[in-house]
Amino acid sequence: MHHVVIVSGCDSSRQEQGAGMVSYDLVVVGAGPTGATVAEIAARTKGWRVLVIERRSHVAGNCYDELYPGTELLWHRYGPHYLRFTSTETMSYVGRFTEWIPGNYVVKSNVDGVLVPMPINLETIELLYGRAPLTEELARELIQSDVVPVEHPANSEEFILGRAGRKLYEKLYAKYTAKQWGRSAAELDPSVCGRVPIRFDRNPYYTDSPMQVMPRDGYTALFDRMLRSSPLIDVVTDVDWLQERVHGTAATVFTGPLDEYFGHRLGPLPWRSLSFETSVENRPWFQPCVQVNYPGDEPFTRKVEVKHVTRQVSTRTVVVTEFPADCGEPYYPVPAQESRKLFADYARLADAERKSRQVFFGGRLGTYRYINTDEAIENAMKLAADLA
Ligand code: UDP
């Protein structure tokens, strides 16, 4: 991977019209998981010259991790990423660029000072209903009187009420969701709260996937290796493609926010952001697991101590507290009725852009879909295969 300085091969009048071309087969906008995957595959399998343009000063997108300033401890600058795979093919593709360590993804929720497993499992129900030990049958019986059955849940509230009942919904989801999204669970698609499993066994891990892993040397190292894998790939950082609008001769892949590509022509899509408060604690551990959720009245949603996953050995530890926010970097699309029509309208524009000038949209921001990192990579693998 070379770092190139000159981005645009076009004259300024063409740039202004957004019609610039550079002598690269493919221009990739954004050096996150999607951009790195598309660039790597296009260079290796098609022999394309690829230019990756990143507006931040680093690669790896929101997966970016680094040593926390003044410490030897890794932290995730834009919030934690708990990598899990549902496809062995995707995992072995990414595994070409990293060794793995097990993903020790255990999350607890602090309910009025008591730490209960999240996702809900038998122990959660035991602790919150004050009855133990429970079997699956007893637990289902116990929550039955609180369950509000809905055949086709239309939103996240109905989804959880139908599966876990009102008591667990109120204790674990209602306020957390309102804080996280600035909207009630009743305003969000069922898939939002549906991301978190509900279990009647004792599995303590955050996701159901048997393939929960963390790249041994971190995410930045992983995506950097992908981008350095071929001399055909050039990367520029600190350059905002939206100011340049240069295109590859064969294709352009855009992984930034979908509405920004179109200059918010149809109005802004709703996005949700986060702000982070970080502290370095002079003790080996702060909390018993990587993430503790706060489903109550406090203004933050969770505290993350990623050392539980990286397994770094140190006498101190970094703790990150997350405060959801409306403004700031877009981290989450808002899967809800309110965004559906606007997104569909932008999706139509995106489709036309693909047909008329070979611009493809990828990743969580570019497709406005609340996908996980493995899904972003999997979609990028398909996208790269489709480029012609
Ligand atoms: N959620 C909740 N309580 C929790 C954990 C999750 O209400 O303790 C809801 C909340 O709406 C959240 C969604 O489930 O946004 C998805 O949770 P996940 O942990 O997947 O969110 P992410 O890690 O993507 O922020």
Side-chain angles (χ1 to χ4, degrees), residues 122 131 134-144 200:
L122 283 183
R131 282 251 328 252
L134 289 176
T135 58
E136 169 167 2
E137 292 67 36
L138 284 173
R140 285 189 189 276
E141 235 171 71
L142 201 54
I143 66 167
Q144 201 47 48
F200 292 89

Side-chain angles (χ1 to χ4, degrees), residues 94-108:
V94 184
R96 294 188 208 170
F97 306 95
T98 184
E99 303 284 319
W100 300 117
I101 56 176
N104 185 23
Y105 304 137
V106 174
V107 175
K108 292 188 189 276

